[in-house]
Amino acid sequence: MGLKNKCAITGLGYTVQGKVPDRSAMSFYIEAAKNAIADAGLSIRDIDGIIIQPCPTDSRITAFSLAQDMGLSLRFGADQQLQGASSCAIIQHAAMAVDAGLCDYCLCAFADTSRSASPTTGNIYQRAMSSDAAYGMFGVAASYAMIARRYTHEYGITSRQFGAVSVAFRHHASLNPIAQMRQPITIDDHQASRWVVEPLHLFDCCLVSDGGRALIVTSAERARNLAKSPVYIMGMGQGHPLSDPLQRKTVTETGAIESGKTAFSMAGITRKDIDVCSIYDAFSFAVPMQLEDLGFCTKGEGGAFFEDGHIALGGALPTNTSGGLLSEVYIQGWVGTHEVISQLRGDCGQRQVPDAELGLVTSSGGVLSTHATLILRR
Amino acid sequence: MLQKCPECGQYRYPPGETCPYCLSSNLEWEIVNGWGNVFSWVVFHQVYHRTFADDIPYTVVLIELDQGVRMISSLIDCRMEDIRIGLPVEVVFDDITNEISLPRFRPRTV
């Protein structure tokens, strides 16, 4: 059904990441693109399509300015802004474009310099979002904190259970040589970490980083003849609830419900078949919430799911094995896509999930406002 | 005052040009009782803007008005330990300048 197994992801591009001052966003896009092309064993001129997620710190960059700087004429190009949900959504659009014959090798890329770009004014994630600033309401974390409070109220989930998410992902990061935060933490460390916006502790919040990521989508057939083993796109879906989270009828459900349903239906597999997951973890509590919405556990049981170790390496559903946005790096949804693809390729070294065959990735933007899911197989 | 759609009867907040339920652009203003309850709340512990530096830690509340819409505001005459989800509140207008008043809320006793 749909685009099942028709397209594949090849070529993963990374850059230096973390705190990387004095680098332009464009230089990260290009470094990531160059590395993705090399990883796939392609030449630069093979790229005939580009979709970028716009850079939060440099709005001048478009698919076409990137093409210009890479000396490429394109057959297909687009900028797609679904904020944090862009990665999985862009891969979906790239697959559609490839399947439709609009391009053969679609480069998908993103870069951010939020860690270093505006040190004097505070980073972009801390600014006033609306006139609600008159009440002292600033930044992204506060809106998530409003939802986290409702989540604890409606389902009895606790801050210690949020902490179990952060502890598990930090453990994963300790096994990842490129992770920003590799020092293991305990639940007590989580509880003792300073409040950012209560009920969210520092260790409930993702990092802010510099860096870029890229990958290449092509047809399943072309992918089989390239340097790296292909990772096939089995299922895809999106779900976008009301954009203003605080006006949604319920604030404790996400677009993962719709997004996951569509993706699983296209892939024709069940939740039990998934070997490895990356769930968009801008804030710890959003991980159990999405796992509930995706149907991995019932609503309200996500917290216990983590405490029981299900999602740790060695558990039934190893999740965010790179450390995720909480502990590896914050390059939005591209952290999850790259990690699951690497797992399915068997490239994860110490943190490899044995024999991982099927993976799921989610990406989520705004304040749980946009959502996209991918189901991948090796 | 809240915006209300005379065609489908729904309230909307924040104010806008069209009704998100029926897309009517014929919105009217209605005086409402200013009653609601605390839907959620957070405590700011970090300084995001220097104006609020001396207020740290301060609370920001999400109020669900009786008309069903929700708005960000602040709670006055209430100790932090007494705030809870579902707390009944009423509006109080805080005159910041001669021209600007901010709607804040306080616990309702009736």
Side-chain angles (χ1 to χ4, degrees):
Chain A
M1 177 196 148
L3 284 178
K4 181 179 178 181
N5 295 339
K6 287 189 173 173
C7 293
I9 299 164
T10 180
L12 291 184
Y14 294 78
T15 68
V16 285
Q17 63 183 29
K19 187 174 184 182
V20 193
D22 304 322
R23 280 282 302 265
S24 70
M26 182 57 102
S27 77
F28 284 127
Y29 277 97
I30 291 176
E31 183 185 348
K34 191 176 168 185
N35 291 338
I37 292 165
D39 184 58
L42 291 166
S43 73
I44 297 169
R45 306 284 156 240
D46 290 324
I47 301 299
D48 56 356
I50 294 182
I51 309 179
I52 67 150
Q53 177 183 350
C55 175
T57 47
D58 189 348
S59 59
R60 295 167 303 178
I61 299 172
T62 65
F64 304 102
S65 68
L66 176 59
Q68 171 73 32
D69 281 18
M70 293 175 69
L72 290 173
S73 344
L74 298 180
R75 296 169 61 209
F76 177 78
D79 306 337
Q80 286 217 343
Q81 184 54 284
L82 285 84
Q83 298 160 310
S86 302
S87 64
C88 291
I90 284 174
I91 292 167
Q92 297 174 13
H93 283 262
M96 290 184 237
V98 166
D99 186 63
L102 295 176
C103 59
D104 292 341
Y105 297 100
C106 190
L107 173 74
C108 306
F110 174 65
D112 193 358
T113 58
S114 288
R115 181 67 183 265
S116 301
S118 48
T120 53
T121 54
N123 75 59
I124 56 160
Y125 305 108
Q126 297 173 346
R127 290 177 191 163
M129 312 289 277
S130 71
S131 57
D132 291 336
Y135 300 102
M137 183 76 174
F138 291 90
V140 180
S143 299
Y144 275 91
M146 285 285 183
I147 294 175
R149 174 89 63 191
R150 284 298 301 190
Y151 194 31
T152 58
H153 173 76
E154 291 175 25
Y155 294 103
I157 290 179
T158 65
S159 173
R160 293 184 75 86
Q161 288 175 323
F162 297 172
V165 178
S166 312
V167 169
F169 294 176
R170 182 61 66 87
H171 169 64
H172 296 164
S174 75
L175 304 172
N176 180 359
I178 64 168
Q180 234 174 295
M181 305 293 279
R182 301 191 59 198
Q183 182 71 37
I185 54 170
T186 64
I187 300 276
D188 289 339
D189 294 333
H190 168 274
Q191 292 292 299
S193 70
R194 67 172 193 262
W195 294 114
V196 174
V197 181
E198 196 181 333
L200 297 178
H201 286 278
L202 179 67
F203 288 166
D204 289 311
C205 305
C206 68
L207 306 166
V208 177
S209 313
D210 307 317
R213 293 283 172 100
L215 53 77
I216 295 161
V217 174
T218 188
S219 67
E221 201 182 319
R222 280 188 213 97
R224 281 193 274 275
N225 302 312
L226 296 176
K228 291 287 165 68
S229 45
V231 168
Y232 299 98
I233 302 169
M234 273 190 102
M236 56 176 75
Q238 299 185 18
H240 313 300
L242 268 192
S243 160
D244 179 353
L246 306 182
Q247 299 297 338
R248 283 173 212 148
K249 197 166 180 185
T250 164
V251 299
T252 49
E253 291 178 352
T254 71
I257 295 177
E258 213 46 59
S259 175
K261 212 183 286 172
T262 310
F264 273 106
S265 149
M266 188 185 296
I269 61 166
T270 69
R271 278 70 179 164
K272 283 195 169 19
D273 296 324
I274 298 291
D275 299 312
V276 62
C277 257
S278 274
I279 304 294
Y280 198 87
D281 57 333
F283 295 91
S284 58
F285 74 90
V287 180
M289 200 182 267
Q290 289 172 76
L291 285 172
E292 293 164 0
D293 292 347
L294 289 165
F296 286 105
C297 52
T298 54
K299 201 71 195 165
E301 280 184 357
F305 203 66
F306 270 81
E307 280 186 321
D308 294 346
H310 279 89
I311 51 68
L313 276 165
L317 189 68
T319 299
N320 295 22
T321 54
S322 76
L325 306 175
L326 288 168
S327 283
E328 187 204 339
V329 66
Y330 185 65
I331 310 180
Q332 301 204 9
W334 306 89
V335 175
T337 53
H338 280 56
E339 180 66 6
V340 166
I341 294 162
S342 299
Q343 284 284 358
L344 298 179
R345 286 173 164 192
D347 287 345
C348 285
Q350 266 193 296
R351 62 181 198 283
Q352 179 64 45
V353 174
D355 210 28
E357 188 184 346
L358 291 170
L360 177 141
V361 193
T362 72
S363 57
S364 166
V367 183
L368 304 171
S369 313
T370 52
H371 200 280
T373 302
L374 284 178
I375 296 174
L376 305 171
R377 75 169 177 87
R378 66 160 193 241
Chain B
M1 280 206 297
L2 279 180
Q3 270 188 328
K4 187 180 185 182
C5 175
E7 291 176 34
C8 72
Q10 297 277 0
Y11 291 91
R12 78 155 288 165
Y13 184 88
E17 291 182 0
T18 50
C19 168
Y21 298 93
C22 72
L23 305 189
S24 164
S25 53
N26 187 25
L27 297 177
E28 293 174 351
W29 291 93
E30 184 180 288
I31 294 173
V32 296
N33 62 1
W35 285 18
N37 64 78
V38 173
F39 184 80
S40 192
W41 60 285
V42 299
V43 187
F44 274 76
H45 289 265
Q46 307 298 325
V47 180
Y48 282 75
H49 193 283
R50 54 181 154 53
T51 306
F52 296 91
D54 295 339
D55 300 335
I56 298 278
Y58 64 90
T59 58
V60 176
V61 291
L62 179 61
I63 302 297
E64 185 167 82
L65 294 175
D66 285 359
Q67 290 73 24
V69 297
R70 299 187 202 126
M71 62 184 292
I72 292 289
S73 186
S74 43
L75 203 52
I76 59 170
D77 301 338
C78 185
R79 292 178 308 175
M80 210 179 283
E81 54 268 35
D82 294 332
I83 304 177
R84 60 180 172 83
I85 286 177
L87 180 75
V89 294
E90 62 186 2
V91 74
V92 189
F93 289 96
D94 181 2
D95 297 329
I96 306 289
T97 68
N98 286 335
E99 293 186 345
I100 298 173
S101 300
L102 276 184
R104 301 190 199 275
F105 289 83
R106 69 178 169 215
R108 198 170 76 222
T109 44
V110 285

